[in-house]
Structure formats: C-alpha cells, structure tokens
Amino acid sequence: MTPREQTASPLAAITGTPATRDGARPHVVIVGGGFGGLNAAKALADAPVRITVVDRRNHHLFQPLLYQVATAALSPADIAAPIRRVLRKQDNVEVILADVTAIDAANRQVVFGDGRLEYDYLILATGASHAYFGHDEWEGVAPGLKSLEDALTIRRRVLLAFEEAERTTDLEARRALMTFVVVGGGPTGVEMAGALAEMARRTLANEFDRIDPATATVILIEGLDRLLPPFPATLGDNACQTLESLGVRVRTRSMVTHIDAGGVTIGEERIPARTVVWAAGVKASPVAASLGVELDRAGRVPVNPDLSIPGHPEIFVIGDLASIMKRDGQPIPGIAPAAIQGGKWAAANIQRVIAGQPSRPFRYRDLGNMAVIARNEAVVHARGIKLTGFVAWLAWAIVHVINLIGYRSRIQVTTQWLWSYVTSQRGARLITGEQSRETRER
Amino acid sequence: MTPREQTASPLAAITGTPATRDGARPHVVIVGGGFGGLNAAKALADAPVRITVVDRRNHHLFQPLLYQVATAALSPADIAAPIRRVLRKQDNVEVILADVTAIDAANRQVVFGDGRLEYDYLILATGASHAYFGHDEWEGVAPGLKSLEDALTIRRRVLLAFEEAERTTDLEARRALMTFVVVGGGPTGVEMAGALAEMARRTLANEFDRIDPATATVILIEGLDRLLPPFPATLGDNACQTLESLGVRVRTRSMVTHIDAGGVTIGEERIPARTVVWAAGVKASPVAASLGVELDRAGRVPVNPDLSIPGHPEIFVIGDLASIMKRDGQPIPGIAPAAIQGGKWAAANIQRVIAGQPSRPFRYRDLGNMAVIARNEAVVHARGIKLTGFVAWLAWAIVHVINLIGYRSRIQVTTQWLWSYVTSQRGARLITGEQSRETRER
C-alpha cells in the first residue's frame, strides 16, 4: 500500500490526484468563505488553476452588520449569501461544505473528519472567534458575536430579559433583567451598546405595562482609558459622549474579573445583570495550530511579507488568521478590508509563482476605520479626515450597503433601514430557538 | 388562609383580583396569539373589559406562508410580528409571555409553570400541532410544519441533503439524499412538494459540480384517492397534473407504514430517502385536556353553537382547537379564516353576555379554499367559482400579502416575491442551527 492509498477517502477519491502531477492545472484549495477566501477565489477567476473553496457553513457572512441581527434590526438572510450562489458563474471553482480539522502541510493535504483533499496551493482564511482570556467558562453567560447563531442567541436573551422583567414582581430581579452589560469598547462593543440603548428607548417604548424599557441600563466596560482604541482620541471621546447621551454608562479603565448568570464583577464592585455580551477579545481559528509554525499570543500565524508561511511557499494565510505588520510596525487590523486585500494579494502571488515569477510583499492600503453608534451617529477616520454625527453615519450606511454581497441583500437591507429609520421599529423582534431551555437556565 | 391566598403567586399578585368582584371591568384572558386570539383581542378594543393575551411565543405567526420559510424563500421575520407590537395601540390589553399548562375551570384560573391568572371570561385559542397517528417516534425523522423552528429544521435538512449528495461518492447514498418525501396531500403537502421541486429545478440548478439538483426526486404521498380533499375533484386533479409536470411523483391511495432515518415504507415497498416532511395530520394543543370536557379524536373541544363549552358559558374555544360543524354537517376547517371569524364571534358574545343579552350561535362564512402549487400555479375554490393557473396564483398572492400583519412584512414579502419571481432565486438559503449535530445524526 502506498502512502497515497492510505490517505484515500471518498472525498480524496472524488477530488482526485492534484492535476499538476498529470501536467494539468494546479489545484488551489481555499479554506474559508469569508471576505478573504471569497475575494481570493474571485481574483483567480481567469487564472489557469482549479479552485476548491471549503467552508463549514454554506454561507458567506457579512460580519460588520452582525450586531444588527443581534439587536433585531435585520434578519440572518439579509447579511448572508450562499457561497455556491456567489461563485456560481465562475467555471474553475468548486464549493464543498466541510469542517477542516487540520492541515497536513508535509503531504499537502487538507484534513476533514471524513476525508482529505490534496492541494498544490493553499489559502488559509478561517478567521477568528472570540476569546475569553483564559475564562472559557464565561462563554455560556456572555456570548460573543461571530456567527449567526451567536447573534440569534443574543437577540433571544435580550428580548426575553424584557419579557421576564415585565412578568416578575421581584424588584431586584427586575433591575438585573433590565441591565445589559457589554464587555469591550472596540467597534463591536460600541455598536452593540448603542443599538441596545436605542432598542430600549425607541423600539420597545410604550409596549409594556409594568416596566418602562427606557429605564433599562446599558453598561459598556472597557479596560483601556478610552473607547475605540484604533481611532484617534477625539473620535473615541465623541463616541463616548454620544453613547452617554443615549443613556449608556461607559466604564473605561475597568477590568472584568468575574462573570456568572447573575452579573459581572469589576474588581470589588458587583453589577447584577442577566444579559452580558462579550466583545472584548478574539482568538484565531484553531486549525492554524496544525501548520507546525509558531503562532502569536492570539493564535494567529506570523506570515512572510508575501503572506506565505515560513518553509511553505505554497501556503498563504490571510485575514484575521494572519499576523502581519504595516510598514509603521503596527499590526494590520482584523477588519474586512484587510482580509479582502489579503485574499486578492495571495491570489496574485499564486499566479506569479505559477508563471515562474517571484512573489511580491503584501502592501496594505489603509482605507480607514468606521464605527456606527446610533441612528445619525457614527465616527469615521480615513486618510486623516475625521467625521462624526450624521455625515459619518451616512458614509457608514453607504459603504456597508455597497459592500453587501448580492443584489437581493442590498435591496432588503436598504428597505429595512429606511423602514426602521422612519418608524424606529426593528423588523426581526423574534424570540426563537431554544427558548424554554434559556428560560429554565436562569 | 383563604383559597384565594393559597393560589397567590408572583403573577397572580401582579394581575390582581378579577376586577368584577370589585365592581370594575371584567377580565378577559385570551390564551394564544394566533389568528383567533389576536382577532378576539382586537374585536374587544372598545369593550368595557380588561384583556390579557398570553402566548408562549413573543410573536404572531402567519402560518399559511410557513412552507416558504421551510423552502428558503422567506425569512422568519417576514412572516412573524411581535404580539406586543401588533396590540401596542390598544389601551385595554396586556401581553404576557408564558406557557399555559392547564385551565382550572372550577376556580376560573389559567395555570402557568410559575403562577396563575384569574379570569372572568376565557378565550382559548392555542391551536394545533402535527400528529403522527400513534407513531410519535417518526417526529425526529419526519418533522412537521407548525412553528418557525420546524420550518428552519426542514430548511436545514433540505439544503444539507444537497450538500452531502455533492460530497458523497456512494451512488446509493446520493440517491437517498436527493429523494425528498412529503407525507400528506392536503394544501400544506402540495405546497411543500411544489416548492421543493421548484427549488431543485430552478434555484439550485447549475450551482453544483457533481450532482444535478434537477434530478432530485420529490415524492408526495397521500392516503386518499386524490390530492386536496377539501377542494372539488377537478382542482385536486389539476394540482396533481401541475405537480407531475414539475417532476413530482404523486402517490395517492398510499399509506405510510414506517419511517426511519433511511427512508419511508409504503406497505411492502421501501423508498430510500434522507429527508421526509410530515404534512399528514394535526392534533389539538394538549391544554384542552385540562378543561374536563370530552374531546374529539384529534383532541379538539366540541363547543356549543355559541363557541362556549358545555357547563362553562364563560369559556370560549376557537380556531383549530374547536370542533364545530357547519350547517351542512361538515366540520368547519382548521384554516385561518375560520379562526379569525371565531375570534371575532367569541369577542362579540362576551360583550353580549356582559350587556345582559343572550349569546348568539356562530355563523361561519365560507370564504373558500386556496392552495398554491408553484410559480404561476395555484387552485382556488370560492363561492362556486374554480380558478387554476396564473389567475389563481395571482389571487393567492394578493390575498396573502393583504392579510399579512404589519406594514413592514407586506413590503418585505412583496419585495422578496418580486425578486424571486424575476430571478427564480430564494433569499434565505442558509444552513443555520444545530448543523453539526444534524450531520452526525445521519
């Protein structure tokens, strides 16, 4: 039995021997259908390669708007598009739904639970999920915001908290039910806190009899001395003031030391709260560990300047999974534009290598940062220009609608936003899923 | 301790003593926020009563379009509206999210897990779920279609079946993965079978590499000798022909004797199929059993002509939970118009009784029947008129959009339908939820 036969599996059998060994087109495997992976696949549309995109979900997710699903403004389908559908017109690509458990770099194979897939070139773009800094036990009580399931869990908990507050006569329990804590003052935390405050004050106002949702307390906790660390200080201050005008209590220089189903502890102080959202840390996808290279503290892969990894010029790592510095020595941030650019760059480098040319070092183009706080309120920092308030909000909305993948999503999201803007309502206020279990848990 | 104090609970404490005993307005409790309950609440808007609507879900569900969620055409939020939101402008109503476990008719109390609620008048409108004719073990492998969770389960299974068919090299397994069986040839079964066939033939065509979704087999099984028993025979035949032209195999006079994860058995014949949808039977909500009256075979409550129950003129049962005959001796069907009319009628009878007048026997106005089969194809039977094809389909679409509750839903659904009509695409093709478990199960 040869090693080849040993690794044979149904999947390897369909996918077959890498074509180069037959003198045909090289096989590029892209793991991850996020911003990085999808853009890499598209950039290779006219390249002389066969491409297989592997993802454990059937959909690309527009993560920047995930907080709107968590706060009942959008439906999951508004911000997700089937990967097959997105790539349907590209002839040289195949899409497989499978969970990649490891990379066997020595044998140039991607490993699934039930098979292996051989590659000539690999683009690894599996992204990151949230990290609890060694407190994984917090995950159950303080969900993060990375997948559609995460967003629906948060939506269910937030809406149930108001319903339970309406029913209880225990005033202390009611106060804890109407206290919402967001941990982490980066863009996601700011967006969640603002959206929660708006939902309580505008959307739910006048719909309850025993509670006034507008008296709900939203607390945003950040360990550093100000919000939005990636932005200039004046914009962080602007976000802080805007949030406070919406009634959000912003707590900077505060480290969370404990979280349980009853609330959050900051040092000696206990904040009773039944709903906690985690927006504080990320860790890279665990598949990186199988590459055999040393990872950074967040589990990311330190890549060569051309986005390949040391010792394996055929493996490229991009997006949130890669650790790479800008020319100024600062890390390239884990945001969608960086993943998109990385995907295109890795695709271009693969084409150069195939053509016998040397690969080129990644040049990251900083398009700036934007974060939305509330209706008519956002902060934008791009090319030295700082915007706040309505102008920033409009820029944010336009950029996000334009970049949504799929004609349908754009129409749906724009319709929803116009409707929400006019009515202050949220279109997806549904408590679905494991409701009974959730209720029992607390 | 008086009996009153014994039954006191947090919830009873908030809701307080029924107001009539204090000489104030009588308390009407409506259990169920479906078509019947919601219309009863609205009909009592100007009545001298206090109303409490209790539902275990926070949303009203537009069930006639649930099959479109199951087949990825609409999102859950498109066909569901928060009950609080629907009733927000009505001053005399309160909404409580709670799971009613029993009715204590002797003490005039509704019983929850954690409390009781006293009433002067009760409208019971908890509806029905699917029944497996004594084979409850089929539920796990053949989900029915009553809740949003049911619809999302079916959506996930159908989409996963195509993904797994693409990956497998086992031709027998692939055939079973691409066989979809719908059990039950009533309107829901016809709608599901038609939508599945369209999805395979139009939506998913050209998106896979190893399978041709258009070769998927959809089988519709009905025990009687024709489809759509409530309709005239010519319309049932029309539906059958339309389905067959879409490639659906219609099997009438066929009784399913066994279902498991591998397929369906009809008598001696085994049909290997990995996805089975149950649309064959309903049973009334179990809360009816606590009323202490004899139920019919489907668990429904045989009601008096005025919709009250024997021995309890203050309790009205409406919608799918009630068993009542038309003047011709035929049962009033379990469809939305019957529930709506019943809700309004019960509300009117409560007002009559409060005003010292006798209640009046329910007069059901038969608005007819409609069922959609596919794009441009439906059957309508109303007031002796029979429509088929495009005209019927247009009538179906207009009636359903008009009756959707909530301004937003109408815009969203219309936009979605127009988009789907032009592109043959489906906007909600997401595999979400307990994906990994599902994959492992099979």
Side-chain angles (χ1 to χ4, degrees), chain B residues 294-309:
Chain B
E294 202 172 327
L295 308 178
D296 77 0
R297 272 207 321 171
R300 284 178 302 223
V301 184
V303 294
N304 296 327
D306 70 348
L307 301 177
S308 68
I309 67 169

Side-chain angles (χ1 to χ4, degrees), chain B residues 32-33 105 112 145 191 226 231 253 274 366 371 375 392 405 438:
Chain B
F112 315 102
L145 192 60
E191 285 161 0
R226 65 179 183 88
F231 289 72
R253 296 178 205 265
R274 297 284 272 274
D366 190 345
R375 179 181 150 112
I405 284 176
E438 289 272 332

Side-chain angles (χ1 to χ4, degrees), chain A residues 303-319:
Chain A
V303 293
N304 295 327
D306 70 348
L307 301 177
S308 69
I309 66 169
H312 287 283
E314 77 283 6
I315 299 182
F316 295 83
V317 179
I318 59 172

